[in-house]
Amino acid sequence: MSHTAVDVIRAKRDGFRLSDSQIDWVVDAYTHGVVADEQMSALAMAIFLNGMDSAETARWTRAMVLSGEQLTLDVGRPTVDKHSTGGVGDKITLPLAPLVAACGAAVPQLSGRGLGHTGGTLDKLESIPGWRAQLSVDEVTSQLRSVGAVICAATSGLAPADKKLYALRDVTATVEAIPLIASSIMSKKIAEGAETLVMDVKVGSGAFMKSLEQARDLAEALVSIGVDHGLKISALLTDMSVPLGRAVGNAVEVAESVEVLRGGGPADVVELTVALAEEMLSRAGISASPAAVLASGEAYETWARMIRAQGGDPDAPLPVGRHKHVVTAPEDGYLTELDAYAVGVAAWRLGAGRARKEDPVQAGAGILCLAKPGDQVTKGQPLLELYTDTPDAIPSALDTLAGGYAVGEAPPTRGPLVIETIRG
């Protein structure tokens, strides 16, 4: 049966479900330039307004997977991956991948760069002298066999339909459509070839999904797609109302991750790293205690091997922003609020993030949160340290932080870091 872009757009505009053949055709035609950007923009908006059911979303994901190459990871270990929907101070991939590898799994972590207030794993790792993100498929496979973990950029051949559509959604106000978010994430993960996948779906002010209901809808969509494609999959809903850990930026987050791998680091980063590792290992059928492995130093040794395998020097000093500004407590009391979104945007303004994909980032820019909600503070005590190579950026970062933190008479109550787990 032949299709036209207008017929497919009209069907979804009028609230009908798209057939498998319509979905297969339009994704393939868009990938090869037969369907124009303006036509796919119209279809994306129709999907944003009218949604897609679970079967449509699964088929859309399948079509995007089939638009490019698919990896087959025969590396002698169970393969398990993790994906986060993005947050502030979310450096969890850095300690998690070597930890899970040290427990006996292979972790092919194909990661991305930051955009806006959420940091990118590759930007963080590129603050390590010599480290490179671009690896060939053969290099990925070889490193998984020898080290057990790799964190790198996705090859251009994986889900090229998603790459085109993602850029289009970004400029057409259709990013928030859950079927398009879920299929975007899962098409790359399925094409990557891991057998087991654990999703970290963030919820709160610093997350893409602000409400628990939104986050749960996305988590259920991701799990449904994974099950449909034969993956062992779980989704953890985790709190992102406060920055994770104390470091927000690039090099500062690497330094904090190394602290965790050496058996220290902030309690919340350790808690989430271990929780995700336990879920990944359990779903992969591996019996191990990630908390014990983390404490033993084995995970740090795997980290060092992983960094060296990609040309980096794990012992090299990390860059630090040349200019520093300290924010102090306005009065005695307890820190009652430290808004993740405000801190993330402030770090972005200091140079740790980018507004457009092609923008550079500063390796040494970022924020250290010297106090977290619940900590007792005194007037004049340092709360935040801001670092940047561009001092002109400090006033706008301070404007962003105004109202993003508060001191009160009583410590706040916080809910659990891991709110809920959904398993497929």
Side-chain angles (χ1 to χ4, degrees), residues 22-157:
Q22 283 178 315
I23 290 169
D24 294 347
W25 176 82
V26 78
V27 171
D28 180 72
Y30 179 59
T31 304
H32 293 97
V34 175
V35 170
D37 278 349
E38 58 268 27
Q39 293 173 310
M40 187 54 93
S41 298
L43 180 57
M45 184 59 76
I47 291 169
F48 176 83
L49 295 172
N50 292 322
M52 289 200 290
D53 65 26
S54 59
E56 283 177 289
T57 306
R59 190 70 180 202
W60 187 277
T61 306
R62 175 183 178 274
M64 293 209 296
V65 171
L66 295 176
S67 71
E69 64 184 3
Q70 297 164 69
L71 304 187
T72 302
L73 299 174
D74 181 14
V75 294
R77 306 186 188 197
T79 52
V80 55
D81 190 14
K82 162 260 183 188
H83 178 83
S84 168
T85 56
V88 177
D90 182 12
K91 73 279 297 172
I92 300 298
T93 291
L94 278 62
L96 181 65
L99 171 59
V100 174
C103 291
V107 187
Q109 185 73 57
L110 305 191
S111 298
R113 303 187 184 281
L115 193 63
H117 76 281
T118 59
T121 299
L122 301 183
D123 297 323
K124 295 167 191 178
L125 286 168
E126 283 179 336
S127 66
I128 300 172
W131 187 87
R132 63 190 179 97
Q134 298 297 144
L135 300 181
S136 68
V137 173
D138 286 345
E139 286 174 318
V140 169
T141 304
S142 174
Q143 188 170 320
L144 286 173
R145 288 192 184 118
S146 61
V147 178
V150 60
I151 304 174
C152 64
T155 68
S156 59

Side-chain angles (χ1 to χ4, degrees), residues 236-310:
L236 276 63
L237 276 61
T238 67
D239 178 55
M240 185 33 72
S241 55
V242 173
L244 260 173
R246 297 187 180 273
V248 179
N250 295 310
V252 290
E253 291 196 36
V254 173
E256 187 165 271
S257 299
V258 170
E259 283 181 38
V260 171
L261 286 160
R262 288 188 181 277
D268 57 348
V269 178
V270 174
E271 179 187 345
L272 187 53
T273 300
V274 170
L276 287 164
E278 287 175 342
E279 188 70 20
M280 292 167 74
L281 293 164
S282 171
R283 296 308 305 267
I286 295 173
S287 177
S289 169
V293 172
L294 195 59
S296 74
E298 290 177 65
Y300 176 76
E301 294 305 318
T302 302
W303 159 267
R305 291 200 305 275
M306 180 181 76
I307 297 301
R308 289 192 190 100
Q310 291 174 240

